[in-house]
Each structure stands twice: as structure tokens, then as C-alpha cells.
């Protein structure tokens, strides 16, 4: 029996634009998904299409148990974390000898297939490696870790990443003259943010600009706007949608002393707050009996 876990993630900057080859920055966060895999003669078919695809690609059969600290469809990369942790646990339990890089690539191929759409390798790569990662097209670079103080606000409005990616795709096809400059501007904000990674006030301002551009792309939602405004009003340096939008979650960059106030303001607006920071472990082995 092998148990592995993998973390969720937040997009700090550049979601959606990253699907069009612009730079994006994502960070692994503390909440994780735990997956136990056991060799078994009579495995039951798992209900998750991600887990099914993991077993199919690894060419083995076994039983699986999942325990998640991440809500699904919340924009925090839970499907990527499940996929990465399952692949690692299968690899370990069956002694298949796959590297971390193989796992990240395979997890990305699985996400793409199950989500039937355009996707970037961000979620699966960040969940495998941990830390802060800069993604541009197919290139992925781990950036030096930063102690960013983040409050996540889950709107509790479930969303479909595939649908939101399609919505932006439709806008880009119908009105490239509008969508392309917005996507370029998101890329420019991401680069400005990288220059200001040690300056929380400027970083917060970049988050606010990124949020306005995501709203312009049409991936906003009244519930996320409410949480973003509440976070800013209660002392965050800046706040934005994180992930695909259309509900899902927001993040607020906070001074250390304001974290609980910001979390309280989010909860007062019917959001679910998580006070968190960077995870630098990525996928990790929990136990092997
Ligand atoms: C979803 O977490 C982020 C998107 O940019 C899609 C992706 O990068 O695969 C919307």
C-alpha cells in the first residue's frame, strides 16, 4: 500500500493568458490531496475519470482511497493534485520507476484529455514540484520561494475550467481585436509583477490590474467581485480572481497582521476563507506499508 499527497495551487498572475502562450505565475499552497493505492485482485472502478485515466496509462489495476483538503471545482487545482498524487502512488506501489518529470508530463496529458480542451501545464507542474513557477508556453521555471501571505476566498460557486477556457476562446475568435490586447496586457502585468515580487504593495496593485483584465475577458462573477472588494476594504494589498473564474476562488495578498481581518471579511460575505502560504514540497510520499 502506498500513500502520496500533492498540493493545490493558486494562480498569482496570468491565468487564461497562459493558455495563449503569455507568461503565468502560480504557487503551490498548503492544502493537499492524499491518495492511497493498493495492489488488489478485484479493484472497483474509481468514479473519478482522472483516476481511471491514471491507472489506464500506467497499465495496472488497483484499489484507491482519496482524502482531500481541497474542494473540487474551486479553482485551486484539486483535479491536478488528485492526478499527480495518484500517479505517484501507483508508481510507488507497482515499482514502475517513473521520474517526477514523467509524472508531471503524464498528469498534464491526463488533465488535457479529461477536460477536452485547451489547458496549460501549470496546475500539474506546480502540484508536482511545489514552490512558485513561471510558465510560458511549454517552458516551466521554478522561481525562488517567497513568503507571500495569501488569503484564499472560495465563493462556493462551482465552476467548470473547461467552460471558462471555452468562453475566452469564443471571445478571442469573435473579437480578436478586443481579446488579444487584453491577453497581452495580462502578460505585461505578469512581467511587472515578477519585477516587484519583493514589494507587496506594488504586487497587490498588479493583482488589482490583473483582476480588472480578467473581468474584461468575461470570467468575473458577482460572488468573486464581492469577495475581492471585501478583501481590499479590510486591508489586503490587492486581490484578484484565481484560476478559471466564473465563480471558484479569489486570492488576497495581505500584510501579516491583516490576514485574519481579511479572512473574516470574506466569511462575512459568505465565502470560505483559507489563510495559507507557499508549499515547497510538491508531491510527497506519506507512507508505504
Ligand atoms: C485554470 O486554473 C487556469 C486557466 O489558465 C487554464 C489553464 O491554465 O489550464 C484558466
Amino acid at each position: 500500500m502506498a500513500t502520496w499527497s500533492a498540493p493545490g495551487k493558486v494562480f498569482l498572475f496570468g491565468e487564461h493568458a497562459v493558455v495563449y502562450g503569455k507568461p503565468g505565475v502560480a504557487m503551490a499552497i498548503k492544502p493537499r490531496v492524499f491518495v492511497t493505492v493498493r495492489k488488489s485482485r478485484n479493484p472497483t472502478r474509481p468514479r473519478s475519470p482522472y483516476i481511471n485515466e491514471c491507472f489506464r496509462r500506467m497499465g495496472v489495476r488497483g484499489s484507491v482511497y482519496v482524502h482531500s483538503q481541497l474542494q473540487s471545482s474551486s479553482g485551486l487545482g484539486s483535479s491536478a493534485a488528485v492526478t499527480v498524487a495518484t500517479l505517484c502512488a501507483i508508481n510507488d506501489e507497482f515499482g514502475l520507476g517513473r521520474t517526477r518529470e514523467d509524472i508531471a508530463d503524464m498528469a498534464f496529458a491526463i488533465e488535457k484529455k479529461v477536460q477536452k480542451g485547451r489547458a496549460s501545464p501549470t496546475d500539474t507542474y506546480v502540484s508536482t514540484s511545489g514552490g512558485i513557477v513561471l510558465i510560458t508556453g511549454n517552458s516551466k521555471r521554478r522561481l525562488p520561494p517567497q513568503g507571500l501571505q495569501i488569503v484564499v476566498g472560495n465563493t462556493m460557486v462551482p465552476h467548470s475550467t473547461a467552460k471558462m477556457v471555452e468562453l475566452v476562446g469564443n471571445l478571442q475568435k469573435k473579437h480578436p481585436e478586443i481579446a488579444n490586447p487584453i491577453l497581452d496586457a495580462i502578460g505585461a502585468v505578469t512581467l511587472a509583477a515578477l519585477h516587484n515580487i519583493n514589494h507587496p504593495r506594488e504586487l497587490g496593485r498588479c493583482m488589482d490590474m490583473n483582476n480588472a483584465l480578467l473581468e474584461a475577458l468575461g470570467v468575473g462573477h458577482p460572488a468573486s467581485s464581492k469577495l475581492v472588494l471585501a478583501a481590499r476594504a479590510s486591508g489586503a494589498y490587492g486581490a484578484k480572481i484565481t484560476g478559471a473564474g466564473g465563480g471558484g476562488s479569489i486570492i488576497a495578498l495581505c500584510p501579516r497582521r491583516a490576514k485574519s481581518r481579511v479572512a473574516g471579511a470574506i466569511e462575512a460575505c459568505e465565502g470560505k476563507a483559507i489563510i495559507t502560504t507557499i508549499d515547497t514540497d510538491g508531491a510527497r510520499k506519506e507512507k508505504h506499508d
Side-chain angles (χ1 to χ4, degrees):
M1 183 171 92
T3 301
W4 279 70
S5 69
K9 67 94 201 32
V10 290
F11 253 99
L12 295 174
F13 296 96
E15 50 274 89
H16 286 291
V18 81
V19 178
Y20 297 83
K22 314 289 172 208
V25 179
M27 182 177 90
I29 53 171
K30 296 284 181 205
R32 309 189 138 245
V33 176
F34 298 79
V35 178
T36 300
V37 167
R38 186 203 296 263
K39 282 182 191 158
S40 147
R41 282 208 203 105
N42 304 309
T44 48
R45 198 176 153 78
R47 257 181 271 148
S48 154
Y50 295 96
I51 295 177
N52 261 324
E53 197 55 25
C54 289
F55 278 100
R56 200 186 67 73
R57 285 190 190 230
M58 293 293 240
V60 292
R61 298 180 63 193
S63 60
V64 58
Y65 171 75
V66 178
H67 165 70
S68 181
Q69 298 170 336
L70 290 161
Q71 184 126 8
S72 64
S73 305
S74 62
L76 302 176
S78 74
S79 65
V82 167
T83 307
V84 168
T86 304
L87 288 173
C88 289
I90 294 174
N91 187 42
D92 191 7
E93 173 71 352
F94 292 86
L96 302 177
R98 303 294 178 117
T99 64
R100 227 164 233 262
E101 212 172 34
D102 294 340
I103 301 269
D105 289 347
M106 201 182 287
F108 174 43
I110 291 171
E111 278 240 301
K112 235 173 145 172
K113 176 168 178 204
V114 176
Q115 290 179 6
K116 296 189 188 82
R118 295 175 83 168
S120 75
T122 313
D123 290 19
T124 44
Y125 187 81
V126 173
S127 188
T128 310
S129 72
I132 302 183
V133 176
L134 168 66
I135 305 274
T136 315
N138 281 330
S139 108
K140 306 143 199 135
R141 188 151 62 89
R142 253 189 119 188
L143 302 176
Q146 305 288 332
L148 303 178
Q149 304 298 319
I150 297 286
V151 178
V152 176
N154 183 348
T155 62
M156 307 304 280
V157 176
H159 69 173
S160 150
T161 298
K163 275 204 187 119
M164 300 318 290
V165 170
E166 191 185 338
L167 184 139
V168 174
N170 290 341
L171 176 73
Q172 203 258 349
K173 261 186 237 128
K174 197 166 171 206
H175 289 297
E177 75 290 1
I178 299 172
N180 289 340
I182 299 173
L183 295 166
D184 286 341
I186 293 178
V189 170
T190 302
L191 294 180
L194 285 176
H195 286 119
N196 285 298
I197 200 94
N198 290 316
H199 302 106
R201 227 167 262 289
E202 282 77 11
L203 211 54
R205 174 92 185 93
C206 288
M207 282 191 175
D208 292 349
M209 286 191 280
N210 195 160
N211 191 67
L213 293 164
L214 286 168
E215 298 259 3
L217 282 180
V219 301
H221 188 281
S224 54
S225 302
K226 213 158 83 175
L227 299 191
V228 161
L229 295 177
R232 288 180 194 153
S234 55
Y237 290 123
K240 65 182 272 293
I241 292 163
T242 188
S249 296
I250 65 117
I251 49 168
L253 179 69
C254 298
R256 203 177 277 274
R257 60 177 192 291
K259 282 194 298 189
S260 353
R261 194 161 8 110
V262 170
I266 286 171
E267 299 263 339
C269 293
E270 285 149 40
K272 188 175 174 331
I274 309 171
I275 297 177
T276 192
T277 183
I278 189 168
D279 165 90
T280 49
D281 289 350
R284 124 187 133 199
K285 183 170 176 146
E286 299 291 335
K287 166 152 113 215
H288 192 154
D289 299 335

